[in-house]
Amino acid sequence: MPIVTIQITREGSTPGASAATAEEKAALIKGVSELLRDVLNKPLTSTFVVIDEVETENWGRGGLPVEKFRQQQSGQAPE
Amino acid sequence: MPIVTIQITREGSTPGASAATAEEKAALIKGVSELLRDVLNKPLTSTFVVIDEVETENWGRGGLPVEKFRQQQSGQAPE
Amino acid sequence: MPIVTIQITREGSTPGASAATAEEKAALIKGVSELLRDVLNKPLTSTFVVIDEVETENWGRGGLPVEKFRQQQSGQAPE
Amino acid sequence: MPIVTIQITREGSTPGASAATAEEKAALIKGVSELLRDVLNKPLTSTFVVIDEVETENWGRGGLPVEKFRQQQSGQAPE
Amino acid sequence: MPIVTIQITREGSTPGASAATAEEKAALIKGVSELLRDVLNKPLTSTFVVIDEVETENWGRGGLPVEKFRQQQSGQAPE
Amino acid sequence: MPIVTIQITREGSTPGASAATAEEKAALIKGVSELLRDVLNKPLTSTFVVIDEVETENWGRGGLPVEKFRQQQSGQAPE
């Protein structure tokens, strides 16, 4: 009876989107539940998934808020 | 000095309510703090409680967002 | 379908015990699941509980590891 | 830069195993990182995964420690 | 590659502020990332920080929602 | 009354050490508690710190267990 917590920044993955869509969230829930079934034989119904969307101002990397970190890293692949 | 985290879906427990009420949250805080005092002798003041309300679209079970899971299970007790 | 996480220091609640006993853990699981049923109408089977035991050296309060904090506070109720 | 936390009971998925194997853990890490890349366009290197193995005595469901819950449910698919 | 989660109540640290400011959050991210570099030699870029702001109604101490706990403790230093 | 959770891999920061030492943990607890006092005016006694040491086999990055990720990245700064 696994619990999976997925923490992501609250922002869209495509132009114009301001957050993950309901379809993207459903795909994450489906995919990770199937992964636990396939790897550890956990029945789908026994896996709980929680998606935690974090404001970009509340996420840090490299000692900086994430948007400043990305500016600093620009020229590299976005993260 | 325990820390208790209670994760629930953001929805009401009675018709018309869209979330747990302040009274329900206070009852959770009181109840779980008293439980830790009674079972492990932890003083009330040393227990921290955090209630984390999760949008139903961000909660998954059975490989589905929770509202679709409940529709699939309908006829069974609601969860 | 709530998830409750209870974080406690790994130590006994009675002389001679070095950790919470299986009976104490079962009492925590039972008590918190019943609390969610009573306050929010959540069926017992839909509540998951995880107890996380943390070494005292890994728990801090007052800017100190918890055992030093307790020595500093001695004369007050233990936490 | 997502963070995924996977909480599972510490027990084997096959007879004789007492915990998830290193190969199973690697498969979880690979699978969930690829899922975030495929669904949200997150580069593999920006996803962190933490697997948290919880003793069965520390995991509760249905108001019971999980092994007692499973005995109560026997006849159903294991969880 | 540490992950640091900072949970705080959503409220201001100065009169008129209703939440931690972007500058305060940036200072937390910078400070804790430098701490991990200085104490454990972790490169700045490998530390992730997540700040989780919790409504005061969702935070409990002493068996009470935190604002009632503070009223009860008034005369002592605010927490 | 903040709660800070610091997740690190269980390994030493110096040759011969297999984990963070008690002194390093105390320095993390002290440093982060002082940071919250300095930035948000939180009294030292109201900050809880939990250090969570994770086996390297249970930590993933880049779709790989962390030790394999580091081998893949060798030539870069260690993380």
Side-chain angles (χ1 to χ4, degrees):
Chain A
M1 36 191 67
I3 301 168
V4 181
T5 306
I6 301 176
Q7 293 176 287
I8 53 176
T9 42
R10 194 189 303 275
E11 58 190 328
S13 63
T14 53
S18 62
T21 65
E23 288 70 27
E24 289 169 332
K25 292 174 183 177
L28 291 175
I29 290 168
K30 179 173 186 287
V32 79
S33 301
E34 291 179 350
L35 180 69
L36 280 151
R37 180 197 60 195
D38 294 346
V39 175
L40 295 179
N41 299 322
K42 302 290 185 183
L44 284 186
T45 60
S46 62
T47 294
F48 279 20
V49 183
V50 175
I51 299 171
D52 180 21
E53 296 177 276
V54 178
E55 303 300 326
T56 55
E57 158 178 309
N58 287 8
W59 195 294
R61 180 139 180 233
L64 294 169
V66 67
E67 293 188 346
K68 290 195 180 162
F69 175 74
R70 287 170 177 165
Q71 290 168 13
Q72 191 194 64
Q73 301 280 314
S74 63
Q76 301 193 12
E79 298 210 10
Chain B
M1 36 193 64
I3 302 168
V4 181
T5 306
I6 300 176
Q7 293 175 288
I8 53 175
T9 43
R10 193 188 304 274
E11 58 190 327
S13 65
T14 53
S18 63
T21 65
E23 288 71 26
E24 289 169 332
K25 292 174 182 176
L28 291 176
I29 290 168
K30 180 174 186 287
V32 79
S33 300
E34 291 179 350
L35 180 69
L36 280 151
R37 181 197 60 196
D38 295 344
V39 175
L40 295 180
N41 298 323
K42 302 291 184 184
L44 284 185
T45 59
S46 63
T47 294
F48 278 20
V49 183
V50 175
I51 299 171
D52 179 22
E53 297 176 275
V54 178
E55 303 300 324
T56 55
E57 158 177 311
N58 287 7
W59 194 294
R61 180 142 179 230
L64 295 169
V66 67
E67 294 188 345
K68 289 195 181 162
F69 176 75
R70 287 169 177 165
Q71 290 168 13
Q72 189 194 66
Q73 301 279 313
S74 64
Q76 302 192 12
E79 298 207 12
Chain C
M1 35 193 65
I3 301 168
V4 181
T5 306
I6 301 175
Q7 293 177 286
I8 53 175
T9 42
R10 193 189 304 276
E11 58 190 328
S13 64
T14 52
S18 62
T21 65
E23 288 70 25
E24 289 168 332
K25 291 174 182 176
L28 291 175
I29 290 168
K30 179 172 186 288
V32 79
S33 301
E34 291 178 350
L35 180 68
L36 280 152
R37 180 197 60 194
D38 294 346
V39 175
L40 294 179
N41 298 323
K42 301 291 185 184
L44 285 185
T45 60
S46 62
T47 294
F48 279 19
V49 183
V50 174
I51 299 171
D52 180 22
E53 297 176 275
V54 178
E55 303 300 326
T56 54
E57 158 178 310
N58 286 9
W59 195 293
R61 181 142 179 229
L64 295 169
V66 68
E67 293 188 346
K68 289 195 180 162
F69 175 74
R70 287 170 177 165
Q71 290 167 15
Q72 191 195 64
Q73 300 279 313
S74 63
Q76 301 193 12
E79 297 211 10
Chain D
M1 35 192 66
I3 301 168
V4 181
T5 306
I6 301 176
Q7 294 176 286
I8 53 175
T9 42
R10 193 189 304 275
E11 58 190 327
S13 64
T14 53
S18 62
T21 64
E23 288 71 24
E24 290 169 331
K25 292 174 183 177
L28 291 175
I29 290 168
K30 180 173 186 286
V32 79
S33 301
E34 291 178 350
L35 180 68
L36 281 151
R37 181 197 59 196
D38 294 345
V39 175
L40 295 179
N41 298 322
K42 301 292 184 184
L44 285 185
T45 60
S46 63
T47 294
F48 278 20
V49 183
V50 175
I51 299 171
D52 180 21
E53 297 176 275
V54 178
E55 303 300 324
T56 55
E57 158 178 311
N58 286 9
W59 195 293
R61 179 141 180 229
L64 295 169
V66 67
E67 293 188 345
K68 289 196 179 160
F69 175 75
R70 287 170 175 165
Q71 291 169 12
Q72 190 195 65
Q73 301 279 314
S74 64
Q76 301 193 13
E79 296 208 14
Chain E
M1 34 193 64
I3 302 168
V4 181
T5 306
I6 300 177
Q7 293 176 286
I8 53 175
T9 42
R10 193 189 303 276
E11 58 191 326
S13 64
T14 54
S18 62
T21 65
E23 288 70 26
E24 291 169 330
K25 292 174 183 177
L28 292 176
I29 290 168
K30 180 173 185 289
V32 78
S33 301
E34 292 178 350
L35 180 68
L36 281 151
R37 182 198 59 197
D38 295 345
V39 175
L40 294 180
N41 298 323
K42 301 291 184 184
L44 284 185
T45 60
S46 62
T47 293
F48 278 20
V49 183
V50 175
I51 299 172
D52 180 21
E53 297 177 274
V54 178
E55 303 300 326
T56 55
E57 159 179 310
N58 287 7
W59 195 292
R61 181 143 178 228
L64 295 169
V66 67
E67 294 189 345
K68 289 196 179 161
F69 175 75
R70 287 170 176 164
Q71 291 169 13
Q72 191 194 65
Q73 302 278 314
S74 64
Q76 302 192 13
E79 297 207 15
Chain F
M1 34 193 63
I3 302 168
V4 182
T5 306
I6 301 176
Q7 294 176 286
I8 52 175
T9 42
R10 193 190 302 276
E11 59 190 326
S13 64
T14 53
S18 61
T21 65
E23 288 70 26
E24 289 169 332
K25 292 174 183 177
L28 291 175
I29 290 168
K30 179 173 186 289
V32 79
S33 301
E34 291 178 351
L35 180 69
L36 280 151
R37 180 198 60 197
D38 295 345
V39 176
L40 295 179
N41 298 324
K42 302 291 184 184
L44 285 186
T45 60
S46 63
T47 294
F48 280 20
V49 183
V50 175
I51 299 171
D52 180 22
E53 297 176 276
V54 178
E55 303 299 327
T56 54
E57 156 179 311
N58 287 8
W59 195 294
R61 182 143 177 227
L64 295 169
V66 67
E67 294 189 344
K68 289 195 179 162
F69 175 75
R70 288 170 176 163
Q71 290 168 14
Q72 190 194 65
Q73 301 279 313
S74 63
Q76 301 193 14
E79 297 209 12

